Amino acid sequence: MAVEEQTNTIPLLDQLDTKATKRIGDITVANVTEDLMVHKPPISFEEIPGPALLKLLDKYWKYVPLLGTQLFRSVLINRLTEGRLTWNRNIRPLKYLFNEYGPVVRLNGPFAGDIVLIHRPEHIAKVFEEEGDSPTRSGIDVLQHYRLNYRKYRFSGPYNSQGLQSMQWLQTKKVLETPIAKQINKEFEKFEMACDELLIRIRQIKNRQDEVSGDFSNELSRWSMECFWIFMISKKIGFLDSTSYNKNSEITRFIETLATAHHYMSRCETGFQFWRMIDTPYSKKLFSACDIIDGIIGKYIRNAQSHVRNNLSMHEDENQHRLTILENLLFKQRMNPEELATLLMDMIILGVNATTNSQAFLLYYLAKNPRIQRRLHEEVISKTPKDHSFTSKTFIDMPYLNACINECLRLRPAFPYITRLLSKQIILHGYKIPKGTYIIMANQISSQREENFEDPDKFKPDRWLKSSDDSYPQNSYLPFGKGIRNCIGENLAKLEMMLLTIKIIREFIIEYDYADIESRFLMMNVPDRPLRFRFISRN
Ligand code: HEM
């Protein structure tokens, strides 16, 4: 019998030997002996509850898909929720499905493979246990389309990679661990400078009531982009320099184009996907934004190529420590420039944007919780006095700051779902789930369920300070994913967020006076209102 089947063995109640008992605390329980165990065969895939199959193509027009392709094929929100939910681009439809059908929900794909939605930590654990050594995740199909069909690239990026490409990428990712850690440590000073520049900018742009304008997210975007390039090429590009705000500057164009690309990527992925057949107004806008981003990225790649050719003799180990991450990818990992361009674009459109939005939510939660902000300020001034020189060790000794970031990512993980394509059959909750099924792990839902986190809707950083005995169930909180396809930028993103938060809190009290900011799902959680924070000087 398969191992999976044995683990689903349960005793039948009417076969319990009630005389043979033992005590656990105040409770008397019947002993269950091996010979009383019965083996329940797994339940077939077809029996997993879920909304009924939609076969008729014409009905399809009524429905709006939620996520990228895999979901597009199946999630027909309006029908699935029997009209009770309108298309609002957030996580509620999935919550509804779990409430309606239980912890394992199957969505039949009228056009392609089925999808299974899960949220329980033990089910998520099982998927990761069985993910194999080259897991595949659902990618951003419209970006894949752009690369493979429009640009005729060979490779569609790490978020999409499968098969051999996936193996190559995972190899590269492993080798990069040490250079990435070194790079983050080495460039502290520059990361600090980027944060200081954002503070200067805040002082300049806030009005007489200390309020910044609605497009403060644009400033955060410049800051996280500056940090990203420091990380990649060890240089400050100047995203926050006053000259770069000029309407015609390349930097302004880059930032605006990034926002455009994000907007239309989300439109293309979540609307009806005509772009698969013909160029649509949205896909045209997305592709021309991607062309601009690709062009700028290409320039950095060419600079790195000529820098290495001109300045370094490439005798392997000798010069390894002098290579930037970008140069390392090009010359040590021998990534071809096309592949590198796709990697950088994904990192920018997804990773840099994720950092921007996570930082925005963090500032919002601090503004809405003045007591928490006060306590954080106390930790900040005691651990990082004015002349403090920052190193990666600074943050280890700041449990409350860490707790605030964890709590923000619990409530607003940048990516509310993690996906995997099953590489083999598994049993979940007694159901047999075949190889090739897409599993959607609703990370945001599991980190907001009462059984995993007490008072789940409240911003309570204290919960992260408890001893490990009281902590949350494993796999109920995975903002950076898990396993070998986890986020490569986790340490960078956390460092950026910590450094900027320290600097802001040291200088300002943050306030926010308007309606609550919720999240909107634009392929990631994005604040649904302008970030009109007040930054009140502490002096
Ligand atoms: C707060 C910020 C960020 C969050 C919350 C975040 C979250 C995630 C998540 C959930 C995944 C999928 C993991 C999985 O499937 O198991 C991921 C993948 C990835 N992230 Fe991030 N990310 C962030 C910032 C960044 C940054 C700044 C970079 C670039 C330096 C980056 C680069 C990547 C890459 C390349 C992958 C694909 C890894 C692979 O397929 O092996 N991320 N990220």
Side-chain angles (χ1 to χ4, degrees), residues 434-452:
K435 175 181 172 178
T437 307
Y438 256 105
I439 304 282
I440 293 185
M441 297 172 268
N443 166 47
Q444 181 167 347
I445 287 179
S446 56
S447 66
Q448 287 177 35
R449 284 183 75 93
E450 181 71 40
E451 62 263 36
N452 301 332

Side-chain angles (χ1 to χ4, degrees), residues 126-143:
K126 180 82 181 164
V127 173
F128 280 116
E129 267 164 36
E130 306 286 348
E131 72 172 354
D133 50 7
S134 177
T136 304
R137 152 181 68 232
S138 147
I140 309 283
D141 283 39
V142 71
L143 290 185

